[in-house]
Amino acid sequence: METAQQLDKPALGTNDAARDKAINEQATMTQDTPYPDQTVGKPFVDDPKMRLRDVEVFYDDNQAIHGVSLDIGKNEVVSLIGPSGCGKSTFLRCLNRMNDTIDICKVKGSLHLESQDLYDPKLDVVELRARVGMVFQKPNPFPKSIYDNVAYGPRIHGLANKKYDLDEIVETSLRKAGLWEEVKDRLHAPGTGLSGGQQQRLCIARTIAVSPEVVLMDEPCSALDPIATAKIEELISELSESYTIAIVTHSMQQAARVSHRTAYFHLGRLVEMNDTETVFTKPEHDLTEAYITGRFG
Amino acid sequence: MSETTEKVRKTLARRYRAEKRFKAFGIGSIGIGLMALVLLFTDIIGKGHSAFVEYEIQLPITFDAEVLDVSDPRDEDELNYGNYQGVIRDALAERFPTVEGRQDTRALNQLVSTGAGYALRDMLREEPTLLGETRTLWLLADDDVDLFLKANEEQREDSRLNEKQQAWVAELETSGETRMVFNQSLFSYGDSREPEQAGILGAILGSLFTMIVTLVLSFPVGVAAAVYLEEFAPKNKFTDFIEVNINNLAAVPSIIFGLLGLAVIIGLFGLPRSVPLVGGIVLTLMTLPTVIISSRAAIKAVPPSIRQAAMGLGASKMQVVLHHVLPLALPGMLTGAIIGMAQALGETAPLLMIGMVAFIVDLPAGPLDAATVLPVQIYLWADSPEQSFESLASAAIMVLLAFLITMNTLAVILRKRLERRW
């Protein structure tokens, strides 16, 4: 099904002959060229924040992720790129067990946050999600005030005992998310009344209010205009000083701009992972090259 | 002109005609619906409006201690056994001194309602010094007199009053000794054999207690069931089976629930008959599917992004439901509950089965007192032979409709007010 989908969507802006060639190449690649069992590049780092080995994800009998192994380093921004349906979002959602909410989804492999096994049956998923926060594709503020949006996480985790402490957490989080100046006079206005870009930054503020160690971002800019996108990207660079960030993106320019290392996924496999610059300038694998040069995707 | 344009033009006319036809059908359907509504309201209001007023007759009443056989009006027993009809009879005889003979005297005495005696007793209790004095009082007319006075010339010929009675009443009317007042007994008494003394307060209270029981039972149970089924239950064959059966339950004829109530709640658990508690339980069974189905729809309408956001922050399942899903789904749930309650309020059949159709004069003081409800009261009155009950039934229908319209309006307002956009 995924193959068919990609065949229907050739790269834009190519003439017919080039498109046919690309489709042929892709067909050859997906049918005849076996995927490398080994990921090319340098997927591992020393002393990683998250250590993920042989991750496999199944939706019922349908395997979505095939043996992906990679590391996410401390205070590193890792971007996950690849064509639609390649499993990058699914992979990201394994990292804070958001896939638990889907009944038919099963995850195998060894996933560690430092020394903590993420899928340890004794681990409380609530505790894990306080350590690994998530920002979603579509801005999804709660239909509450800006203040309550940011204060929700600290409140349920009991991070602040006094109103004063909570006020401070809210202000710091909004400052870090670069939203404080814009909303400080209307903290009790509904969060849903903000613009799309502001809403997404509010969601980021809400996520960092619980001081997570890792922030997962699932295409955080796909619903935003270029100006709001630029602001979020700037924010990601700033946040990487204190947080480890994994970001799924469809925009290769964005991956190139914000991330230290880039992982290229294809049909549920990790094809290549390396320093961002290397991936975009000297990709080792044909599939990576084909994707980043826009021949398909 | 190209060929395509020509073809399009040809079909265009047909398309517009089809559109016009469709519009006409729509307007026609709405017209039929509105006409039915207007017909219903004019009929009910036309029949029922006269029940909101009643006629009284003016008589000089002498509270004669001897006739009354009351020596001390402070003695409750004596007061209760007083011969109030006697003083009314005397007053009538004085007003129409020419009336003689047993039959005529009796006919004369029938002009005043038997309820007037109780009114005199209550007056005497309030004001014991009345004993021995004479006062000019307005007394409630009998229902036949009432009907005669409300009727026009033509209808008066069909009156149940005999010719002599008609003459007396006409005499009273022309001399200004009759008056029309607001029918207070309608809103302050329970059922009665005498139409002029019958009221709907008993039925309203019965309905109120029944509805309270229904609401208290069906809303929490329905919401809890809906939340569990939507948020916590695993999706498997068994929950599918439950879901299908909840939908089936909504389609079960309501009289079946009445039979169930009779067999299980009264028969097995031994709860008393005719009480609002049992009625409420039976109506709960009937309302539950409506509440569950609408609550589930309301929960489903909460966008998954809100749930994900809360879960991504580390909220537990319980916190996601309590902090986010329930507040957002509440307006929908309340609307469903109110609509379910409105259905239950208008329900008659299951209540007939559990004995809420009994003739009950006393006002119920709680959900464990025998009572009847508004729709059953309407059914009882519509079934009565006296002509006056017909207008009473229509008046009760008007009251019931007022309640239903209020509830449905409330549901709409609530939905508008609490609805949040995201």
Side-chain angles (χ1 to χ4, degrees):
Chain A
M1 197 187 88
E2 285 171 348
T3 315
Q5 220 171 26
Q6 281 155 23
L7 287 174
D8 291 339
K9 281 199 293 181
L12 291 168
T14 49
N15 59 34
D16 286 358
R19 191 180 64 190
D20 289 349
K21 190 164 166 270
I23 291 172
N24 282 337
E25 269 178 11
Q26 193 189 354
T28 327
M29 275 186 280
T30 49
Q31 281 163 17
D32 303 335
T33 324
Y35 288 102
D37 288 332
Q38 294 287 313
T39 303
V40 298
K42 288 180 285 184
F44 307 129
V45 294
D46 297 331
D47 190 22
K49 184 77 188 172
M50 296 193 97
R51 192 171 171 277
L52 314 152
R53 295 290 179 272
D54 304 317
V55 179
E56 301 200 320
V57 182
F58 299 84
Y59 291 108
D60 270 342
D61 297 331
N62 204 346
Q63 189 165 4
I65 304 274
H66 301 260
V68 169
S69 299
L70 63 89
D71 284 339
I72 299 173
K74 284 193 175 113
N75 292 359
E76 190 177 56
V77 180
V78 168
S79 58
L80 312 177
I81 59 168
S84 293
C86 70
K88 49 195 191 310
S89 286
T90 301
F91 180 75
L92 192 76
R93 289 163 60 91
C94 293
L95 304 185
N96 71 343
R97 289 182 56 179
M98 281 301 280
N99 283 334
D100 286 14
T101 56
I102 303 165
D103 286 338
I104 55 168
C105 183
K106 279 190 205 71
V107 179
K108 286 182 188 166
S110 124
L111 298 89
H112 285 85
L113 171 63
E114 290 178 338
S115 60
Q116 174 67 58
D117 180 359
L118 299 187
Y119 283 80
D120 183 349
K122 275 178 281 180
L123 171 69
D124 193 340
V125 72
V126 167
E127 184 199 317
L128 169 67
R129 287 184 191 146
R131 292 178 69 187
V132 184
M134 188 154 191
V135 177
F136 297 86
Q137 186 169 358
K138 216 180 111 205
N140 54 356
F142 299 130
K144 297 172 189 269
S145 72
I146 294 169
Y147 183 94
D148 286 337
N149 260 286
V150 182
Y152 182 70
R155 270 189 191 135
I156 58 170
H157 294 300
L159 298 184
N161 296 322
K162 294 187 199 111
K163 173 94 172 65
Y164 173 79
D165 292 339
L166 198 60
D167 288 349
E168 200 174 86
I169 292 178
V170 170
E171 182 178 341
T172 328
S173 308
L174 284 170
R175 273 188 197 286
K176 278 190 194 163
L179 197 60
W180 176 252
E181 292 302 324
E182 290 160 59
V183 301
K184 64 180 175 189
D185 300 324
R186 45 171 178 153
L187 285 178
H188 295 282
T192 41
L194 297 171
S195 74
Q198 287 175 323
Q199 285 190 16
Q200 193 61 297
R201 277 182 284 152
L202 176 63
C203 292
I204 293 174
R206 182 177 67 186
T207 306
I208 57 182
V210 289
S211 322
E213 296 159 42
V214 182
V215 178
L216 308 176
M217 297 186 175
D218 190 356
E219 297 178 39
C221 302
S222 67
L224 305 180
D225 67 35
I227 296 165
T229 304
K231 277 196 175 163
I232 302 267
E233 284 179 7
E234 203 178 306
L235 176 59
I236 292 170
S237 306
E238 278 168 32
L239 291 176
S240 70
E241 285 165 24
S242 24
Y243 305 95
T244 300
I245 297 171
I247 175 170
V248 164
T249 175
H250 266 137
S251 152
M252 281 172 278
Q253 290 84 345
Q254 185 171 68
R257 279 193 297 264
V258 301
S259 66
H260 302 123
R261 292 197 307 139
T262 298
Y264 173 66
F265 280 70
H266 192 98
L267 293 182
R269 287 181 172 79
L270 176 59
V271 174
E272 180 166 359
M273 183 164 185
N274 218 326
D275 294 334
T276 299
E277 210 187 320
T278 317
V279 169
F280 285 106
T281 52
K282 286 174 283 188
E284 284 177 43
H285 201 281
D286 292 345
L287 282 168
T288 319
E289 195 186 345
Y291 182 71
I292 62 169
T293 53
R295 269 190 278 154
F296 69 89
Chain B
M1 201 188 293
S2 78
E3 211 177 322
T4 323
T5 333
E6 194 131 323
K7 275 185 182 165
V8 168
R9 223 170 249 183
K10 268 183 196 161
T11 60
L12 220 51
R14 207 168 61 228
R15 274 188 266 173
Y16 284 143
R17 273 203 304 278
E19 206 167 283
K20 267 188 192 148
R21 265 203 307 278
F22 186 74
K23 260 191 197 163
F25 277 134
I27 292 170
S29 318
I30 292 173
I32 290 171
L34 279 179
M35 245 161 60
L37 200 67
V38 168
L39 208 68
L40 177 81
F41 276 101
T42 39
D43 179 58
I44 289 169
I45 294 172
K47 275 185 193 157
H49 75 277
S50 64
F52 287 102
V53 290
E54 60 189 1
Y55 272 91
E56 289 179 339
I57 295 172
Q58 193 181 39
L59 282 177
I61 297 286
T62 310
F63 289 88
D64 191 321
E66 247 170 73
V67 180
L68 282 172
D69 197 17
V70 173
S71 53
D72 179 13
R74 287 171 193 83
D75 183 349
E76 192 66 23
D77 268 351
E78 248 184 88
L79 203 62
N80 277 337
Y81 288 107
N83 181 15
Y84 302 99
Q85 300 303 328
V87 293
I88 295 172
R89 275 202 289 273
D90 289 353
L92 279 167
E94 210 166 300
R95 174 67 184 77
F96 296 99
T98 53
V99 176
E100 272 172 12
R102 205 178 137 88
Q103 229 175 354
D104 283 357
T105 317
R106 202 174 180 189
L108 181 63
N109 293 338
Q110 276 171 359
L111 296 185
V112 175
S113 164
T114 51
Y118 301 114
L120 294 184
R121 180 196 63 192
D122 294 343
M123 280 177 75
L124 195 57
R125 186 190 285 137
E126 289 281 305
E127 215 180 323
T129 51
L130 271 179
L131 199 65
E133 290 196 17
T134 302
R135 287 266 174 103
T136 304
L137 297 172
W138 287 100
L139 298 178
L140 188 59
D142 187 66
D143 63 306
D144 288 331
V145 177
D146 190 56
L147 269 183
F148 178 80
L149 286 167
K150 282 174 185 168
N152 59 32
E153 288 296 324
E154 218 170 294
Q155 290 164 333
R156 281 187 179 189
E157 283 167 21
D158 303 330
S159 173
R160 273 161 51 98
L161 297 177
N162 64 33
E163 272 173 35
K164 282 181 181 166
Q165 283 175 315
Q166 289 192 19
W168 297 326
V169 174
E171 191 188 328
L172 287 170
E173 193 184 12
T174 41
S175 64
E177 282 166 284
T178 60
R179 68 168 184 186
M180 194 171 76
V181 292
F182 176 69
N183 187 353
Q184 275 185 328
S185 51
L186 184 65
F187 293 102
S188 46
Y189 294 131
D191 199 3
S192 170
R193 291 275 180 238
E194 304 298 328
E196 74 275 8
Q197 293 169 50
I200 52 169
L201 184 63
I204 290 177
L205 287 175
S207 276
L208 181 75
F209 291 129
T210 311
M211 286 301 108
I212 289 173
V213 173
T214 309
L215 184 68
V216 165
L217 290 178
S218 68
F219 191 63
V221 174
V223 169
V227 168
Y228 179 76
L229 284 174
E230 267 317 305
E231 298 285 329
F232 295 96
K235 299 272 171 286
N236 55 29
K237 289 239 166 71
F238 182 64
T239 46
D240 283 351
F241 178 74
I242 290 177
E243 189 170 341
V244 168
N245 279 292
I246 288 172
N247 292 336
N248 283 343
L249 216 54
V252 170
S254 56
I255 198 157
I256 309 286
F257 290 110
L259 284 170
L260 180 82
L262 179 65
V264 177
I265 300 163
I266 294 176
L268 205 62
F269 297 132
L271 279 153
R273 274 164 208 275
S274 311
V275 299
L277 178 66
V278 178
I281 294 172
V282 168
L283 291 179
T284 298
L285 295 178
M286 209 199 75
T287 321
L288 259 182
T290 315
V291 177
I292 294 177
I293 291 167
S294 64
S295 298
R296 290 188 69 172
I299 292 172
K300 271 196 191 124
V302 175
S305 65
I306 299 287
R307 286 192 186 85
Q308 287 198 334
M311 264 186 295
L313 282 173
S316 66
K317 191 103 200 177
M318 197 66 211
Q319 286 170 325
V320 173
V321 171
L322 284 184
H323 298 167
H324 301 285
V325 176
L326 274 186
L328 290 176
L330 205 59
M333 291 173 164
L334 283 176
T335 311
I338 292 174
I339 288 169
M341 298 296 289
Q343 270 176 13
L345 181 62
E347 199 55 66
T348 322
L351 302 178
L352 301 183
M353 289 288 116
I354 56 158
M356 287 189 87
V357 71
F359 172 72
I360 292 146
V361 178
D362 295 327
L363 300 179
L368 277 169
D369 286 353
T372 187
V373 293
L374 268 174
V376 176
Q377 187 68 73
I378 292 165
Y379 164 78
L380 282 170
W381 281 344
D383 216 24
S384 297
E386 278 97 337
Q387 215 191 334
S388 293
F389 277 125
E390 194 188 335
S391 59
L392 271 178
S394 294
I397 291 171
M398 282 158 76
V399 172
L400 180 63
L401 280 177
F403 276 119
L404 290 175
I405 291 169
T406 312
M407 283 170 85
N408 285 329
T409 315
L410 200 70
V412 173
I413 291 172
L414 214 62
R415 191 161 43 193
K416 286 253 166 74
R417 266 278 177 84
L418 296 174
E419 198 173 55
R420 288 191 238 200
R421 314 223 169 265
W422 43 74

